[in-house]
Amino acid sequence: MLREGRRLRGEGLDVVVGLVETYGRRGTEEQLRDLPVLPRRPVSYRGVKLTELDVDALLARRPALALVDELAHTDAPGGRNAKRWQDVRELLDAGIDVATTLNIQHLESLNDVVQQITGVAQRETIPDEVVRAADRIELVDLSPEALRTRMAHGEVYPPDRIDVALRHYFRAGNLGALRELALLWLADRVEEELADYRARHGIRAPWETKERIMVALNGAPQGEHLIRRGARTATRVHGDLIGVHVRLDDGTAEREPPGLAPQRELLRELRGSYVEVSGGDVARTLVDFARSESATQLLLGPTSRSRLRELVSGSVINRVIRLAGPIDVRVLPPPEPGLLTVPPAPRRRRPALVPVRRRRLAWLLGPTGAVALTWALSPLRESLGLSGVLLCLLLVVAGTARLGGLLPAAGSTAAGALAADYFFTAPWNSLTVDRGADVAALLVFLAVAGVISHLIDGLTRRSQQADRARAEAAVLARLAGETVESGARVPSELVAELRQVFGLDAAAVLGRAGELWQPEASAGGAVPLQPDEAALSVDLGNDAVLVLRGAPLTEEDTRLLGPYVTQLKLARERERLAAQASAAEVLAHTDALHTALLEAVVYDLRAPLAAVRREAERMPDPGGERVGAEVERMERLIANLLDLSRLRAGVMPVVLRPTAVAEVVRAAAEGMPGVHVDLGSGLPRVLVDRGLLERAFTDILASGAAGAGPVMVDAGVVAGRVDVRMTVHSGGVLAQDGAGLAMVRGFVEAMNGELTVEEAPGEGTAYRISLPRAVA
């Protein structure tokens, strides 16, 4: 702003600085050196001396150009205006041009966006229309890196504020987002100026300064396909996407097509805009709106009008193409069908299924055509005769049967027979028949027409059955192919496909949660929330049920439903196994962490235990022996803890071999006072890891031997297993040592054994280890 003021002053323009905030910046102060500066107006507010823009002095001075800094500034209370932009408006109204400055975050329309980006609420804002009214807006564009470099060099803030500013408000991401906001806002300003220029000069042809893709929507299913194609095109060319729907203003109350609501939502998701316009001519209204929006491309879908309606009222697409002029018109084909909807199976021993529209048309044209043809041929009754006209009527009956089915063909047959009797049998123009030959001819006509109608109906049924079979085969092939390629599918995808294939209103998988049912996967509207509310429910096992709402399923539909039920069961089982695998992975990670922590603790404990052992050796007996025994017990406990963690982690293997129990017990009890072994003879061998079993026996016997009483060991065969019972009568240490007992149980269970602890008669504890017998 100051450089522009100096340039204009050098060209002879009367330029005055009304107010500039330098904030002590040397570069800003140097720009002021040869510009006249108007003194500020002093203001006192709550005992604080402030200065503001002196509007009266500027109005009295009346320069050609006034330089006023910080347009969004809020004036001190008590002045003539609340905001500085209001002061500037007074200067403009007095004929004084003003050059001013503004930061992008102070624009009212961008205030909430700026707060979301920076986390800082801007209290000083200015209405957008005030800025848009400027004759010229110049964007001072600086890259975030360049601005941060200037700040780091101390050109913006003093040294004590630089680090805080760079870490918070002036982060590179914040600056980049603010810069983009400024560019987008200014681009809109440029478009407004361009539109005003074209309006002033009467230019109607679009200027392709920016691509605008307009999509014509009428609520048809292919509208979503058009929107997505238009969005992809707009993204590639960095253009705008506009969806437009034309409402006819013919005086009738037109209901909104049901497909428009989801299409509006899709437009919002794809960052497009939606507009509704009214007009009596759809084609002209579309083209006029496209011209007003400077659209460069207009996307149309395939017509939904019948050929008859197009012949009567013309084609909208053709008229749009003729009226579009330089606007590119693209008519997109319908999207390739994804999932097939299986046609209904023909009903047994009933006429073939014919669409209602065709059946109504056949009832209208068949009987009418038979009567009209007979009347048209009546002048030829002498040469054509009754048999000739009946043959012609057979063509009408056959065409009616092909168009509308058996019942309209029967109506055409009856109408043709009556018309032939009226026009071609004597007496003429009456329904009486004088000759027996004519009666026979009419009866033969009725019979032949019935046979032809029945045959055509049978062919139609066979064709429908073939279509049904092809659709079923396609569905099953697709279902099997996707299963082989990617495994069991997600239940939500299967439910959505099942609903579309059978043409249902809604489908869902409900899972039981206590007394309630919760939807696990659903598709369609008004999903049944209870199995009783569904037209059909199928049990999926594991407290889950498939519920369907819509037209009742036939026997053929139920047969095709079976593979979907199987796939849903597989999908739910796959999800259950995946959840278990995820939980097992977390558990394995936790076990590995526990093992690593235990190993670290064990290694850290060995050094202090060794120091305690050395000190115990220096102590006089019996205290030194007692401390040494406790140290040995702790060392054994630590070793067992480490081995148990290795067992659970699978690092330490367990080798199971046939072993004699008596040998292991005697090896464990060797050298322990007070241990009495009475195992008898004839004990079968057991399938164990000898080393682990000996350690388990040693831990129990050593804790018992540490007490004052004896330890009794006996064994026997119980329920096909070998039980070894160790009774500690004095209450050994292991009974009160939870860690020691857990380690012994871990060793025993690693060999497929069982450890139970129970009270012994008297004061004591019995430890029973049950071991599997070795197969002879």
Side-chain angles (χ1 to χ4, degrees):
M1 180 185 69
L2 294 176
R3 281 198 297 267
E4 180 70 6
R6 293 175 60 197
R7 183 185 68 81
L8 293 175
R9 182 174 173 79
E11 295 179 359
L13 195 68
D14 184 13
V15 178
V16 171
V17 176
L19 185 143
V20 168
E21 299 289 355
T22 64
Y23 297 106
R25 296 167 188 158
R26 218 170 1 181
T28 308
E29 292 173 350
E30 291 177 356
Q31 295 287 336
L32 283 170
R33 64 181 181 270
D34 54 355
L35 287 174
V37 179
L38 200 70
R40 301 188 184 190
R41 176 174 60 88
V43 179
S44 179
Y45 177 66
R46 293 183 178 179
V48 179
K49 298 295 184 179
L50 304 174
T51 58
E52 294 290 354
L53 175 67
D54 195 340
V55 179
D56 293 331
L58 271 176
L59 291 174
R61 172 70 169 73
R62 298 192 62 83
L65 176 66
L67 306 183
V68 180
D69 201 6
E70 296 187 355
L71 183 62
H73 173 75
T74 301
D75 291 345
R80 59 197 299 160
N81 294 307
K83 296 285 187 177
R84 185 166 292 168
W85 62 265
Q86 295 171 331
D87 296 338
V88 169
R89 178 172 288 175
E90 280 196 46
L91 299 177
L92 295 174
D93 292 341
I96 301 173
D97 291 341
V98 177
T100 184
T101 61
L102 176 74
N103 289 338
I104 190 65
Q105 62 264 31
H106 294 134
L107 286 171
E108 180 65 44
S109 64
L110 303 179
N111 183 258
D112 55 342
V113 182
V114 172
Q115 181 176 357
Q116 183 180 3
I117 293 171
T118 64
V120 178
Q122 297 293 335
R123 297 181 180 179
E124 292 185 331
T125 58
I126 181 172
D128 287 44
E129 57 267 17
V130 174
V131 184
R132 291 186 185 277
D135 293 332
R136 190 180 73 181
I137 299 176
E138 183 175 341
L139 176 65
V140 183
D141 188 21
L142 193 65
S143 68
E145 293 77 12
L147 179 55
R148 286 170 58 85
T149 300
R150 291 190 63 211
M151 294 182 67
H153 291 167
E155 299 178 16
V156 179
Y157 285 138
D160 58 335
R161 296 178 56 190
I162 292 175
D163 291 340
V164 176
L166 291 176
R167 284 197 305 267
H168 294 86
Y169 193 91
F170 291 92
R171 294 195 300 267
N174 289 2
L175 295 176
L178 293 176
R179 183 190 188 194
E180 184 174 355
L181 275 179
L183 292 171
L184 291 174
W185 190 91
L186 200 61
D188 291 339
R189 156 80 177 188
V190 172
E191 289 183 14
E192 291 175 2
E193 292 181 351
L194 185 61
D196 292 342
Y197 177 84
R198 293 177 59 215
R200 288 195 306 269
H201 292 78
I203 301 173
R204 295 179 56 84
W207 285 359
E208 298 184 11
T209 55
K210 184 177 183 180
E211 290 285 343
R212 286 181 176 84
I213 315 301
M214 199 173 86
V215 179
L217 303 175
N218 59 0
Q222 61 266 23
E224 295 187 1
H225 173 62
L226 290 178
I227 293 172
R228 290 191 173 91
R229 284 288 296 272
R232 289 196 295 270
T233 304
T235 301
R236 283 195 297 266
V237 299
H238 303 285
D240 296 332
L241 175 65
I242 305 171
V244 58
H245 171 65
V246 178
R247 287 185 176 273
L248 293 176
D249 56 358
D250 53 3
T252 60
E254 180 186 0
R255 297 182 59 186
E256 180 179 283
L260 271 182
Q263 289 170 13
R264 281 197 300 266
E265 185 64 27
L266 180 61
L267 271 171
R268 281 193 290 268
E269 292 177 2
L270 297 176
R271 298 184 178 180
S273 58
Y274 174 80
V275 180
E276 286 190 2
V277 294
S278 299
D281 186 340
V282 174
R284 183 169 294 280
T285 304
L286 275 175
V287 173
D288 289 345
F289 180 76
R291 287 201 182 103
S292 66
E293 292 293 318
S294 295
T296 55
Q297 295 186 37
L298 177 57
L299 270 60
L300 304 175
T303 181
S304 58
R305 292 186 172 187
S306 64
R307 294 183 180 179
L308 179 61
R309 187 178 178 187
E310 283 195 349
L311 289 174
V312 173
S313 57
S315 169
V316 173
I317 295 177
N318 291 338
R319 294 201 67 234
V320 168
I321 294 174
R322 285 197 301 270
L323 297 172
I327 301 175
D328 294 339
V329 179
R330 297 170 59 192
V331 182
L332 301 183
E336 295 183 2
L339 300 176
L340 294 174
T341 299
V342 177
R347 296 164 295 183
R348 296 180 179 178
R349 298 180 181 179
R350 298 187 67 181
L353 294 173
V354 179
V356 176
R357 185 177 177 182
R358 284 177 50 187
R359 190 164 60 247
R360 290 175 179 173
L361 187 62
W363 274 112
L364 176 64
L365 298 180
T368 305
V371 174
L373 178 64
T374 307
W375 173 79
L377 296 177
S378 60
L380 304 176
R381 70 166 64 108
E382 296 296 335
S383 58
L384 187 62
L386 180 61
S387 59
V389 75
L390 292 178
L391 286 175
C392 295
L393 288 174
L394 285 177
L395 293 176
V396 176
V397 172
T400 306
R402 182 67 184 88
L403 177 63
L406 193 61
L407 294 180
S412 298
T413 301
L418 292 175
D421 179 16
Y422 187 84
F423 289 108
F424 280 83
T425 61
W428 315 118
N429 300 328
S430 71
L431 295 179
T432 59
V433 183
D434 289 345
R435 297 191 307 164
D438 292 341
V439 174
L442 290 173
L443 292 176
V444 170
F445 167 75
L446 292 174
V448 172
V451 171
I452 290 175
S453 300
H454 182 72
L455 289 176
I456 293 176
D457 181 73
L459 290 175
T460 304
R461 288 172 54 83
R462 298 296 183 273
S463 176
Q464 291 175 350
Q465 290 172 351
D467 292 342
R468 166 84 183 193
R470 281 195 297 270
E472 287 185 5
V475 169
L476 293 175
R478 182 176 182 273
L479 193 62
E482 290 187 352
T483 303
V484 171
E485 181 178 351
S486 58
R489 297 163 61 192
V490 179
S492 58
E493 295 180 358
L494 287 169
V495 170
E497 180 175 325
L498 184 149
R499 171 181 171 267
Q500 182 169 348
V501 166
F502 292 101
L504 300 171
D505 297 333
V509 173
L510 303 180
R512 184 183 291 276
E515 298 297 326
L516 302 177
W517 293 93
Q518 297 292 337
E520 296 180 359
S522 61
V527 175
L529 299 179
Q530 296 284 342
D532 298 339
E533 299 176 3
L536 176 66
S537 60
V538 181
D539 184 22
L540 299 178
N542 297 325
D543 291 330
V545 62
L546 171 66
V547 292
L548 307 175
R549 170 175 287 170
L553 300 184
T554 63
E555 181 180 350
E556 290 80 2
D557 293 334
T558 306
R559 185 176 64 250
L560 184 59
L561 183 64
Y564 279 97
V565 173
T566 303
Q567 289 295 317
L568 281 171
K569 292 180 179 179
L570 290 175
R572 296 187 74 252
E573 182 66 16
R574 183 182 183 184
E575 288 188 343
R576 186 184 66 82
L577 294 177
Q580 291 181 352
S582 178
E585 184 178 354
V586 173
L587 184 60
H589 179 72
T590 304
D591 286 344
L593 185 61
H594 289 171
T595 301
L597 180 61
L598 183 60
E599 290 180 353
V601 172
V602 166
Y603 286 123
D604 289 342
L605 285 176
R606 284 177 175 174
L609 285 176
V612 173
R613 177 186 289 276
R614 288 195 297 271
E615 293 298 325
E617 292 174 354
R618 299 173 185 174
M619 293 175 61
D621 296 333
E625 290 183 357
R626 189 165 58 252
V627 173
E630 291 297 324
V631 170
E632 288 181 1
R633 190 178 72 83
M634 287 295 298
E635 289 177 341
R636 188 169 63 250
L637 178 63
I638 290 173
N640 289 341
L641 275 173
L642 188 58
D643 288 343
L644 182 61
S645 66
R646 290 171 177 169
L647 274 175
R648 290 181 174 177
V651 177
M652 183 176 176
V654 179
V655 181
L656 303 179
R657 293 174 181 169
T659 306
V661 177
E663 295 179 0
V664 180
V665 172
R666 291 190 179 93
E670 185 178 355
M672 292 186 183
V675 178
H676 303 281
V677 180
D678 184 13
L679 300 179
S681 60
L683 279 178
R685 296 163 72 86
V686 294
L687 189 65
V688 295
D689 185 310
R690 178 173 181 134
L692 287 181
L693 184 61
E694 184 175 341
R695 293 178 66 173
F697 286 153
T698 300
D699 288 342
I700 296 176
L701 295 176
S703 65
V711 179
M712 304 299 297
V713 182
D714 55 44
V717 178
V718 178
R721 296 170 68 90
V722 177
D723 286 3
V724 180
R725 181 184 179 91
M726 290 162 283
T727 305
V728 181
H729 290 285
S730 59
V733 180
L734 193 67
Q736 292 85 23
D737 191 351
L741 185 63
M743 285 182 291
V744 172
R745 178 173 282 110
F747 291 153
V748 172
E749 291 177 352
M751 301 178 291
N752 303 319
E754 298 177 1
L755 171 65
T756 57
V757 182
E758 54 194 24
E759 292 184 1
E763 293 185 359
T765 305
Y767 301 90
R768 182 170 59 85
I769 296 179
S770 178
L771 301 170
R773 295 178 57 177
V775 179

